[in-house]
């Protein structure tokens, strides 16, 4: 599962959901590093397989984490506006990155799921 932090320092402990802004940065970094690996693959089928098994899975886990955090809030429009704003901004930041990510065409359904979160 997608996790951040080592349990030391300022990051969340293993098993905790990462802060929203950290999640967006983590995804962008993972996708940037992975894109150089995808470019090395010779065929479109190999690129699709890699993107589906690695990038799409990571994006789906991140989307599920954001959904869990949103659904855990009792009143996102009143008492928990800060958390709601963080989650909305995270979804927006991830979507803006994916809009220009060349290999996002290989996992459109997962991209659509995160797009739905920001609405």
């Amino acid at each position: 599962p997608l996790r951040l932090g080592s349990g030391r320092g300022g990051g969340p402990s293993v098993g905790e959901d990462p802060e929203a802004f950290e999640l967006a940065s983590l995804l962008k970094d993972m996708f940037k590093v992975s894109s150089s690996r995808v470019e090395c693959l010779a065929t479109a089928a190999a690129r699709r397989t890699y993107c589906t098994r690695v990038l799409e899975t990571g994006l789906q886990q991140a989307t599920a984490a954001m959904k869990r955090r949103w659904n855990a809030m009792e009143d996102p429009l009143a008492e928990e506006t800060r958390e709601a704003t963080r989650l909305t901004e995270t979804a927006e930041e991830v979507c803006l990155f994916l809009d220009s990510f060349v290999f996002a065409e290989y996992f459109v359904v997962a991209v659509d799921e995160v797009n739905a979160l920001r609405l």
Side-chain angles (χ1 to χ4, degrees):
L2 186 60
R3 305 241 192 274
L4 273 184
S6 63
R8 293 175 271 150
S13 307
V14 172
E16 293 180 4
D17 285 332
E19 285 297 321
F21 59 90
E22 291 175 346
L23 181 60
S25 295
L26 176 68
L27 277 174
K28 290 193 303 190
D29 290 344
M30 179 182 82
F31 280 47
K32 286 176 184 176
V33 168
S34 295
S35 67
S36 62
R37 294 178 181 153
V38 175
E39 290 169 350
C40 293
L41 299 171
T43 67
R47 288 189 291 275
R48 178 177 302 286
T49 299
Y50 182 87
C51 287
T52 300
R53 292 186 181 168
V54 176
L55 301 179
E56 181 175 43
T57 300
L59 183 58
Q60 288 171 332
Q61 290 175 356
T63 302
M66 288 188 286
K67 285 180 183 179
R68 276 193 309 275
R69 287 182 76 152
W70 184 272
N71 290 333
M73 290 186 281
E74 291 184 26
D75 195 355
L77 300 178
E79 298 299 320
E80 297 168 299
T81 55
R82 177 176 243 151
E83 178 72 3
T85 301
R86 280 188 190 142
L87 289 170
T88 304
E89 288 176 354
T90 298
E92 179 71 18
E93 189 173 339
V94 170
C95 290
L96 289 173
F97 173 77
L98 290 172
D99 286 345
S100 63
F101 187 67
V102 175
F103 301 111
E105 69 181 277
Y106 292 116
F107 47 97
V108 174
V109 173
V111 171
D112 288 345
E113 287 176 13
V114 75
N115 267 308
L117 288 181
R118 72 178 178 172
L119 302 175

